[in-house]
Amino acid sequence: MIRKLIKSIYNSTCAWMYPVAGKRPWKLGYVPYKFLKIRQAIDNVALSMASLPRGYGYRLDERVIEYPWFYSLLPASEGKLLDAGSILNYSFLLDHKKLLNKEVFISTLAPEESCYWNKRNGVSYIFEDLRDSGFKSNNFDWVVSLSTIEHVGLDNTMLYTQDETKRESQNDGYLSAIREFKRVLKPGGKLYLSMPFGVHSKRGWFQIFNARMVDEVIKEFSPSTLSESYYRYVPDGWENSNRQDAKDATYFDIHTEKKYGQDYAAASRAVVCLELTK
């Protein structure tokens, strides 16, 4: 209990150091500050993802878009949810009221430092390749995979696993993951999917999706209904966008680029979010 309190105080202090230090992405206080803003966003019922306020997510990465988008659409009803890529594996996200009535399963390549099997009724973990899932067909009411499929089939040894067999260069591996997502969903189940969007670029450990690749994803899943949303990062924050206006977007990779762009983007400069119904 004392350890959790100390950690909470530390994170709160670091969060407020980020704006004081000039809001440079990935520098002192960035992650606690980002999580603070995400927490505020997913709890803000007045926030409309269809009409973002000016300056929203200033100098923050696309997670500040993806999480509120997902939680705004996810129903609060009971059911089974698969997190394909371990994007929800944070205590404050798993504690969200919309997950309280759900069985949550997390599928990812390898164990992570944080594990919440003892939370609520427990979170179940499975370590596997998303292209070859061990779950039975027609099993889940919802699958969520945020900014994950851009890594599928590429070099995942940089950040996600030490398994050398995952040092790959399969450009279209994501389509196999899409097929698996559809297979494990129940009829009428929904897939919440996002990926970086703009000028296609393969960066070794991930790739940026262009319009053709997004259309390939949609065709592969062949949804009964589809909702397609685009968001673009501009110098004063994130804004609502569309395919045409976001098609020239690029990506800032903190792992390989030494200097920030003039807009101080933290990662993606555009993201596409898809809600697909089986």
Side-chain angles (χ1 to χ4, degrees):
M1 187 68 179
I2 294 177
R3 182 178 296 178
K4 288 182 65 176
L5 178 60
I6 293 173
K7 184 176 180 180
S8 177
I9 294 173
Y10 172 79
N11 285 337
S12 297
T13 302
C14 285
W16 291 112
M17 293 184 74
Y18 181 61
V20 171
K23 285 191 175 181
R24 292 185 298 165
W26 308 107
K27 299 297 183 181
L28 182 63
Y30 175 79
V31 172
Y33 181 84
K34 179 179 73 171
F35 283 175
L36 173 65
K37 292 302 179 181
I38 290 172
R39 186 192 299 267
Q40 292 172 347
I42 64 177
D43 291 336
N44 182 3
V45 295
L47 177 66
S48 171
M49 296 305 295
S51 182
L52 292 176
R54 186 178 177 85
Y56 177 80
Y58 176 65
R59 293 192 181 182
L60 294 176
D61 64 68
E62 58 270 27
R63 295 293 184 271
V64 78
I65 291 292
E66 294 165 325
Y67 287 129
W69 170 81
F70 164 64
Y71 281 110
S72 71
L73 295 173
L74 183 70
S77 53
E78 295 182 358
K80 297 174 69 174
L81 180 143
L82 174 63
D83 170 7
S86 193
I87 195 67
L88 301 180
N89 196 40
Y90 297 95
S91 183
F92 78 98
L93 294 173
L94 292 170
D95 282 337
H96 193 276
K97 60 185 178 182
K98 287 195 172 180
L99 295 184
L100 292 180
N101 294 324
K102 294 177 175 57
E103 294 181 70
V104 178
F105 297 78
I106 293 179
S107 171
T108 190
L109 278 177
E112 298 173 287
E113 182 178 351
S114 297
C115 181
Y116 300 99
W117 58 269
N118 59 344
K119 184 176 286 291
R120 297 181 288 104
N121 293 328
V123 175
S124 299
Y125 292 82
I126 182 169
F127 307 112
E128 60 177 4
D129 191 317
L130 296 179
R131 296 168 293 182
D132 186 22
S133 176
F135 291 106
K136 65 182 181 180
S137 300
N138 306 315
N139 191 40
F140 292 99
D141 299 281
W142 310 278
V143 173
V144 55
S145 188
L146 306 180
S147 282
T148 296
I149 66 167
E150 66 266 27
H151 303 286
V152 174
L154 301 181
D155 185 1
N156 282 279
T157 63
M158 178 175 171
L159 295 176
Y160 305 116
T161 180
Q162 296 180 353
D163 181 355
E164 283 297 318
T165 66
K166 300 307 177 187
R167 191 188 298 275
E168 301 177 78
S169 184
Q170 184 186 355
N171 291 5
D172 61 352
Y174 60 89
L175 293 175
S176 297
I178 296 299
R179 285 193 288 272
E180 284 294 87
F181 295 162
K182 184 172 184 178
R183 182 185 66 79
V184 302
L185 272 171
K186 296 176 181 178
K190 290 186 179 292
L191 169 62
Y192 302 100
L193 184 72
S194 70
M195 65 283 283
F197 181 78
V199 178
H200 179 250
S201 175
K202 186 178 174 185
R203 301 289 189 90
W205 63 291
F206 75 98
Q207 58 184 329
I208 301 167
F209 280 58
N210 59 19
R212 176 189 60 80
M213 297 166 75
V214 173
D215 284 338
E216 286 179 344
V217 166
I218 295 171
K219 181 179 179 181
E220 189 64 48
F221 191 89
S222 186
S224 59
T225 65
L226 164 69
S227 174
E228 190 172 352
S229 301
Y230 291 83
Y231 302 90
R232 182 176 63 165
Y233 187 82
V234 294
D236 62 351
W238 286 91
E239 64 179 17
N240 299 93
S241 190
N242 54 60
R243 274 198 185 197
Q244 180 61 28
D245 291 344
K247 67 181 177 62
D248 296 324
T250 57
Y251 192 105
F252 170 72
D253 184 359
I254 188 64
H255 301 287
T256 59
E257 297 181 54
K258 296 180 179 180
K259 293 184 179 181
Y260 296 109
Q262 291 184 346
D263 57 359
Y264 278 83
S268 294
R269 288 186 171 91
V271 63
V272 54
C273 299
L274 305 175
E275 181 187 29
L276 306 105
T277 306
K278 180 173 177 178

